Amino acid sequence: MRIGVVFPQTEITADPAAVRDFAQAAEGLGFDHLLVYDHVLGAKPSKDRQSGVYTHNDMFHEVFVMLGFIAGFTSRIELATGILVLPQRQTALAAKQAAEVDVLSGGRMRLGIGVGWNPVEFGALGEDFSDRGARCAEQIELLRALWTQELVTFEGRWHKVTDAGLNPLPVQRPIPIWIGGGAEQTLSRIGRLGDGWIYPGYAPRPDDEARRKLDTIGKHADEAGRDRGQIGLEKVFGLAEGPLDELAGNMDAWKQVGATHVSVSTMGAGLRSPDEHIEAIRRIKGAVQGV
């Protein structure tokens, strides 16, 4: 099982040195991957808007730009989005950006995607919130074509490409696509199309609902003629969610139900500086040795 940390987007500050120091510390400590959350815009909350975890008060570095930056001073750690809100982006541009990170990092990109929850963000980016799920499935198909073919001709419901392609192509052909979320339509999409599932929420141990959803993904994979055993599972833990001495046991419990990746987030734990986040991942590394 691969163990990573969540990049503390909302608490790292805008200082590029803090970004560098955290990423280098994560790699130096031996973590396998760095998982990065995504938002382009934060909306001011109101009674007329769907509420979510983040608002305009939460800082987010743009994920592709930042991962390209991090690629330049790391050499081993995998760079993963978890999740990128794909349907609010132009598909060919997202393909280009992900491919570029993969090239600059020497093949270390993993694209975790989801459909998002913020209609204000979609509207500001000129994309339709209402059809984002169905459009996401078509985006996945086009992404893989663009990452593996020199020239692509593609016509779907929302996309048309005529004899065009990316240059350079990514190192990984295709870049792995993991999908976050827990809705029934999402589980179907993971089983049919995903390389892995990023499990939503911070439940410390797998419960009956998690097992049911894993089985649902497996059934959709079976129906699509895919090997359900080849679909990865990532569980994200929050440092603020429970005692550190229980973390290794909780990780092992998820490993028993098929988790291939786990990550730990230090956000929301009352840490006051980038240095405190770095010290926290040092403690995490010590607590999970041997998992």
Side-chain angles (χ1 to χ4, degrees):
M1 188 168 65
R2 298 175 66 83
I3 301 175
V5 290
V6 174
F7 183 83
Q9 276 275 44
T10 62
E11 300 176 13
I12 196 64
T13 78
D15 182 357
V19 174
R20 178 201 64 209
D21 292 348
F22 186 90
Q24 288 183 328
E27 180 170 80
L29 287 165
F31 285 103
D32 294 304
H33 57 273
L34 192 63
L35 191 73
V36 183
Y37 295 172
D38 165 58
H39 276 291
V40 175
L41 296 172
K44 182 178 179 180
S46 76
K47 63 180 181 180
D48 300 321
R49 290 176 173 175
Q50 182 177 348
S51 62
V53 178
Y54 305 109
T55 73
H56 65 292
N57 292 312
D58 296 296
M59 191 202 73
F60 279 84
H61 289 282
E62 200 289 316
V63 290
F64 287 125
V65 173
M66 189 181 70
L67 290 178
F69 176 61
I70 291 173
F73 50 74
T74 58
S75 60
R76 180 196 57 80
I77 196 166
E78 183 183 55
L79 308 176
T81 58
I83 57 165
L84 181 90
V85 186
L86 183 62
Q88 69 184 17
R89 288 172 165 81
Q90 295 172 305
T91 309
L93 180 58
K96 178 72 172 180
Q97 291 170 313
E100 186 68 10
V101 173
D102 200 55
V103 168
L104 294 176
S105 66
R108 291 185 279 136
M109 180 73 201
R110 173 162 55 102
L111 190 70
I113 64 166
V115 298
W117 54 266
N118 187 351
V120 175
E121 197 170 19
F122 274 73
L125 291 164
E127 297 293 347
D128 189 344
F129 185 75
S130 66
D131 64 6
R132 66 197 190 281
R135 190 155 39 85
C136 184
E138 186 172 297
Q139 287 182 290
I140 292 171
E141 184 181 357
L142 179 55
L143 285 172
R144 288 187 172 133
L146 288 167
W147 288 334
T148 56
Q149 301 172 35
E150 183 179 341
L151 287 172
V152 173
T153 295
F154 181 97
E155 185 163 1
R157 180 177 172 187
W158 294 278
H159 301 84
K160 183 175 181 179
V161 180
T162 305
D163 255 358
L166 302 179
N167 191 355
L169 289 169
V171 175
Q172 302 177 92
R173 301 183 188 175
I175 294 168
I177 296 177
W178 288 48
I179 301 173
E184 293 303 308
Q185 302 96 315
T186 301
L187 302 178
S188 171
R189 201 173 302 125
I190 295 163
R192 293 181 290 108
L193 300 170
D195 294 308
W197 180 30
I198 302 174
Y199 181 84
Y202 288 126
R205 290 181 179 250
D207 55 16
D208 290 344
E209 181 65 6
R211 291 183 175 87
R212 182 195 70 78
K213 289 181 175 181
L214 283 165
D215 188 55
T216 297
I217 290 170
K219 288 177 179 176
H220 284 293
D222 295 343
E223 291 169 2
R226 304 180 69 209
D227 181 356
R228 64 168 67 189
Q230 295 301 307
I231 300 174
L233 168 63
E234 178 148 19
K235 174 68 179 70
V236 177
F237 297 90
L239 186 62
E241 301 298 317
L244 195 58
D245 61 4
E246 295 179 5
L247 185 57
N250 291 338
M251 286 184 174
D252 189 64
W254 280 92
K255 184 178 181 179
Q256 299 310 309
V257 297
T260 55
H261 296 61
V262 291
S263 299
V264 185
S265 172
T266 57
M267 290 184 285
L271 305 178
R272 296 168 295 179
S273 70
D275 286 343
E276 289 190 7
H277 282 278
I278 291 172
E279 179 55 34
I281 65 173
R282 292 185 193 280
R283 298 197 310 271
I284 290 165
K285 188 63 177 178
V288 300
Q289 292 285 0
V291 175

